[in-house]
Amino acid sequence: MASTSDIRKGLCIKYNHDIFKIIEFLHVKPGKGPAFVRTKLRSVTTGKVIDNTFSAGHKIDDVRVETRSYQYLYPEGDTYHFMNTDDYNQITLQKGTLDAPDLLKEGEVVKVLFNTEDSMPLSVEMPASVILEVTESEPGVKGNTATNATKPAVVETGARINVPLFINEGDKIKIDTDKGAYLERVKE
């Protein structure tokens, strides 16, 4: 048993007869009344996201998890195939268990969280950032750089990202997987 002071991003808890992963939280201490924790929870079975508020000191049922390295192989409809980098066993996961499936490149190594009680895969932790090549982008207009102007671009995985005007097709860019946002251009 844990309490609300143990809440952190990525923690898996049992709530309403399901297992949820905490994707956002905020400790709130109002001037009047008791403190509470506002959370955003994602169901690991359905992928549904709910908002919930826990009062301070509330007991939560945390789930013991184990992390294993897996290599992403290929997508097949709404399922994604992964291979364990230690024993080469393969698993398939639903799209809902992935945080950013549109930024997942074939061959990428990710961490898969497993429930230690029944060895059931709970969720996939992406690396903090990925490097992808821009496949489609409109040319930037010279003189449009007075502000931080951006334009839409499509990367090799099919994801749409807003990038600065100086990014062209064929450039490699670093993308923050948490926000799905452009970080920097990568020089080779």
Side-chain angles (χ1 to χ4, degrees):
M1 277 300 218
S3 72
T4 53
S5 61
D6 300 318
I7 288 180
R8 66 185 184 285
K9 187 176 176 183
L11 179 71
C12 293
I13 63 171
K14 287 181 185 170
Y15 179 73
N16 279 357
H17 311 295
D18 198 0
I19 296 176
F20 287 88
K21 181 179 178 183
I22 296 173
I23 52 177
E24 281 182 29
F25 73 96
L26 178 66
H27 286 278
V28 180
K29 297 176 188 165
K32 188 175 184 181
F36 57 90
V37 180
R38 200 174 282 136
T39 61
K40 197 173 267 193
L41 309 169
R42 178 186 290 132
S43 170
V44 297
T45 54
T46 63
K48 184 179 174 185
V49 176
I50 62 169
D51 292 319
N52 191 47
T53 302
F54 294 103
S55 57
H58 182 84
K59 297 292 182 201
I60 54 175
D61 224 358
D62 60 335
V63 178
R64 292 182 52 92
V65 294
E66 183 179 287
T67 305
R68 300 180 198 149
S69 292
Y70 275 79
Q71 182 179 21
Y72 171 59
L73 297 176
Y74 60 93
E76 189 174 21
D78 274 353
T79 60
Y80 289 75
H81 296 265
F82 295 87
M83 178 183 68
N84 190 324
T85 56
D86 296 330
D87 60 11
Y88 305 111
N89 286 334
Q90 292 187 19
I91 60 170
T92 56
L93 298 174
Q94 293 299 316
K95 188 176 187 174
T97 60
L98 284 86
D99 292 338
D102 55 341
L103 296 177
L104 203 53
K105 182 177 162 183
E106 292 179 8
E108 191 79 40
V109 176
V110 295
K111 303 280 184 204
V112 180
L113 295 172
F114 285 88
N115 185 345
T116 55
E117 294 173 10
D118 57 6
S119 293
M120 183 80 176
L122 297 176
S123 70
V124 176
E125 284 185 0
M126 295 279 292
S129 62
V130 291
I131 297 172
L132 298 172
E133 185 176 329
V134 176
T135 56
E136 288 179 37
S137 176
E138 297 172 9
V141 180
K142 192 172 182 173
N144 248 358
T145 56
T147 61
N148 289 338
T150 60
K151 62 181 179 178
V154 178
V155 293
E156 61 188 290
T157 59
R160 293 191 165 281
I161 308 280
N162 282 332
V163 298
L165 296 175
F166 60 83
I167 298 294
N168 299 312
E169 286 182 18
D171 287 351
K172 291 194 182 290
I173 59 173
K174 186 184 271 191
I175 302 167
D176 180 355
T177 56
D178 201 27
K179 298 181 180 100
Y182 167 86
L183 289 175
E184 64 184 0
R185 178 167 49 182
V186 178
K187 303 238 193 279
E188 292 182 33

